[in-house]
């Protein structure tokens, strides 16, 4: 007798996604794999995209939040309502291919419980890569590997990465609960980095599965703005303060100070210094919350900073629409020097 397929819960968080949501859900219902549920969590959209989606796809479970709870808590609501053995966190600005779920299941069966992402490509040109796995930098930056590069099929094997992109993240329900869901404090941005970092601290690995292709629209909501820069900087510092042990941070003090100066002048040059100042003030204002979170994570950490940092990146990807090529190269060169110096101080390289 053939064993019944495990149920997969696909959670799509929506906020004014318009036609993108409909295209995403339509692609999901074209999957070869049949035993899945689709949970659309709406964060108080005003464009009625969620209602139109429910009308067009009656099988979906629609959860309507009365306010915008952000990426983290919005997805958490979906996870808490999921009935599946496995969970997919899927952005509404994506389209999937028919065989995606089987390939994710094959990967988790072969490599064990972990966090998995596919090959993210541009929705309007599938030859342009968005991410082949995400990397954590020593100073808390997140970076999409190979972003903007050309896909020639050069990556064929499943690889371990620092963290799986929240654009499309596949895992078991048990592992998601063991890690502790998304951190609501973050609201949005660095949410997947935080999740992957916490997972790594528990010896739960993240993987890139090149056979799964996810077509993705990049940053359809905020684009690059002062608001986005604020969230990225605030949450970068939050992750540093909650994930690194105090002895590690003490040894990193000089590097952290220099990098903070670099970011200050970067924001100044962008005319967004207010976003940087507000991010720092938010960290100060929430220091008690941060300290409490730090203590919680230190108690359950099983993998020391030394082991994790050996796998962290030395440089980051800087998009052309954020900084020109020359400035980006200079920033990365200086960042690389500071990173390698700091790693030597930590005796990790």
């Amino acid at each position: 007798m053939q064993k019944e397929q495990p149920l997969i819960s696909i959670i799509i968080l929506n906020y004014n996604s318009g036609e993108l949501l409909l295209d995403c859900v339509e692609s999901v219902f074209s999957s070869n794999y049949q035993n899945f549920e689709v949970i659309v969590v709406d964060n108080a959209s005003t464009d009625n995209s969620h209602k139109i989606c429910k009308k067009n796809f009656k099988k979906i479970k629609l959860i309507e939040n009365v306010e915008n709870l952000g990426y983290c808590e919005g997805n958490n609501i979906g996870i808490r309502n999921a009935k599946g053995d496995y969970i997919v966190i899927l952005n509404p600005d994506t389209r999937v291919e028919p065989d995606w779920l089987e390939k994710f299941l094959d990967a988790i069966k072969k490599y064990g419980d972990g966090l998995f992402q596919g090959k993210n490509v541009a929705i309007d040109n599938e030859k342009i890569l968005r991410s082949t796995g995400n990397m954590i930098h020593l100073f808390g930056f997140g970076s999409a590997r190979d972003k903007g590069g050309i896909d020639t099929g050069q990556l064929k094997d499943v690889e371990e990465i620092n963290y799986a992109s929240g654009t499309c993240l596949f895992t078991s329900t048990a592992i998601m609960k063991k890690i502790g869901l998304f951190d609501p404090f973050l609201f949005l941005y660095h949410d997947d980095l935080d999740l992957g970092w916490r997972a790594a601290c528990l010896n739960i690995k993240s993987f890139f599965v090149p056979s799964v292709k996810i077509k993705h629209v990049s940053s359809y909501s905020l684009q690059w703005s002062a608001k986005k820069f604020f969230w990225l900087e605030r949450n970068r510092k939050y992750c540093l303060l909650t994930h690194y042990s105090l002895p590690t941070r003490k040894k990193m003090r000089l590097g952290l100070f220099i990098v903070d100066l670099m970011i200050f002048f970067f924001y100044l040059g962008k005319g967004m210094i207010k976003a940087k100042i507000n991010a720092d003030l938010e960290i100060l204002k929430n220091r008690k919350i941060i300290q409490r979170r730090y203590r919680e994570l230190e108690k359950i950490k099983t993998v020391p900073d030394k082991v994790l940092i050996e796998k962290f990146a030395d440089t980051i990807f800087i998009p052309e629409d954020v900084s020109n090529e020359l400035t980006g190269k200079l920033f990365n060169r200086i960042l690389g020097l500071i990173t390698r110096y700091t790693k030597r101080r930590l005796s990790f390289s």
Side-chain angles (χ1 to χ4, degrees):
M1 186 176 177
Q2 190 175 6
K3 189 178 178 182
E4 186 179 348
Q5 292 179 320
L7 178 65
I8 300 175
S9 298
I10 300 165
I11 297 158
I12 304 172
L13 180 66
N14 180 60
Y15 180 66
N16 292 328
S17 303
E19 291 288 333
L20 291 171
L21 175 64
L22 303 180
D23 292 340
C24 174
V25 173
E26 184 177 12
S27 74
V28 168
F29 278 109
S30 297
S31 302
N32 295 334
Y33 192 89
Q34 290 300 301
N35 195 20
F36 64 84
E37 61 173 354
V38 177
I39 301 171
V40 173
V41 181
D42 186 74
N43 261 344
S45 294
T46 56
D47 67 352
N48 285 326
S49 53
H50 54 302
K51 296 183 185 297
I52 296 168
C53 186
K54 178 63 177 176
K55 183 179 177 182
N56 289 3
F57 303 97
K58 304 206 183 302
K59 287 185 178 180
I60 70 168
K61 179 175 183 178
L62 177 63
I63 299 173
E64 299 179 76
N65 295 331
V66 295
E67 61 180 311
N68 184 356
L69 299 177
Y71 178 92
C72 295
E73 191 56 24
N75 274 307
N76 287 346
I77 286 172
I79 295 167
R80 293 187 194 107
N81 282 273
K83 295 186 173 77
D85 303 298
Y86 297 95
I87 283 176
V88 177
I89 303 297
L90 185 66
N91 276 11
D93 58 343
T94 59
R95 290 179 206 160
V96 297
E97 299 203 319
D99 59 359
W100 69 306
L101 292 175
E102 292 102 327
K103 288 179 175 177
F104 270 138
L105 278 172
D106 288 344
I108 203 167
K109 286 171 186 174
K110 183 174 180 180
Y111 294 92
D113 272 335
L115 304 175
F116 295 79
Q117 79 155 84
K119 177 169 60 180
N120 298 344
V121 300
I123 205 163
D124 54 349
N125 184 348
E126 294 177 33
K127 286 293 182 183
I128 298 177
L129 295 165
R130 291 289 188 210
S131 170
T132 61
N134 286 12
M135 306 304 289
I136 300 173
H137 183 273
L138 178 69
F139 294 110
F141 302 104
S143 187
R145 196 173 61 160
D146 295 324
K147 187 171 184 179
I150 303 299
D151 181 18
T152 60
Q154 63 269 46
L155 298 175
K156 302 183 186 301
D157 299 322
V158 174
E159 299 176 35
E160 186 178 340
I161 53 177
N162 287 160
Y163 70 102
S165 169
T167 298
C168 177
L169 187 153
F170 177 89
T171 189
S172 70
T173 305
I175 282 295
M176 184 63 88
K177 288 179 178 176
K178 183 177 180 180
I179 297 168
L181 309 191
F182 291 100
D183 188 336
F185 180 87
L186 295 171
F187 196 75
L188 78 165
Y189 294 119
H190 280 341
D191 34 71
D192 47 5
L193 180 149
D194 171 74
L195 188 78
W197 199 337
R198 279 189 281 130
C201 288
L202 299 173
N203 202 27
I204 298 167
K205 295 178 180 178
S206 296
F207 297 93
F208 164 65
V209 185
S211 60
V212 178
K213 186 189 288 186
I214 307 297
K215 291 167 252 188
H216 182 221
V217 178
S218 183
S219 295
Y220 77 94
S221 54
L222 287 182
Q223 299 294 328
W224 288 105
S225 62
K227 191 176 287 188
K228 184 170 182 175
F229 277 113
F230 162 79
W231 290 115
L232 287 170
E233 178 61 4
R234 186 197 78 145
N235 293 348
R236 179 187 74 88
K237 287 199 162 183
Y238 177 82
C239 288
L240 290 173
L241 292 168
T242 54
H243 294 314
Y244 282 141
S245 66
L246 187 57
T248 299
R249 277 186 273 136
K250 284 181 177 178
K251 291 180 181 178
M252 292 176 64
R253 274 183 298 197
L254 179 59
L256 288 167
F257 174 74
I258 296 171
V259 168
D260 207 49
L261 275 181
M262 289 172 63
I263 295 171
F264 179 88
F265 286 111
F266 176 84
Y267 275 59
L268 185 64
K270 287 285 174 186
M272 295 182 182
I273 194 61
K274 188 177 178 181
K276 166 64 175 163
I277 293 169
N278 285 340
D280 290 343
L281 289 174
E282 273 281 303
I283 293 295
L284 285 172
K285 185 173 76 174
N286 291 286
R287 59 189 180 277
K288 288 184 180 178
I289 293 171
I290 293 168
Q291 186 61 27
R292 184 165 61 246
R293 182 62 166 167
Y294 166 74
R295 288 194 296 267
E296 289 172 359
L297 296 180
E298 279 295 295
K299 283 180 184 177
I300 61 173
K301 184 187 288 185
T302 61
V303 180
D305 294 339
K306 178 176 180 177
V307 174
L308 298 180
I309 286 173
E310 288 174 350
K311 300 177 182 179
F312 285 178
D314 289 350
T315 56
I316 60 174
F317 172 79
I318 302 175
E320 290 181 5
D321 53 348
V322 173
S323 183
N324 63 53
E325 186 178 0
L326 182 62
T327 305
K329 282 184 177 178
L330 180 61
F331 185 93
N332 256 327
R333 187 171 181 181
I334 297 170
L335 183 63
L337 289 171
I338 299 166
T339 301
R340 288 186 286 273
Y341 167 78
T342 304
K343 282 185 175 181
R344 284 194 297 271
R345 277 186 57 83
L346 293 164
S347 300
F348 292 157
S349 64

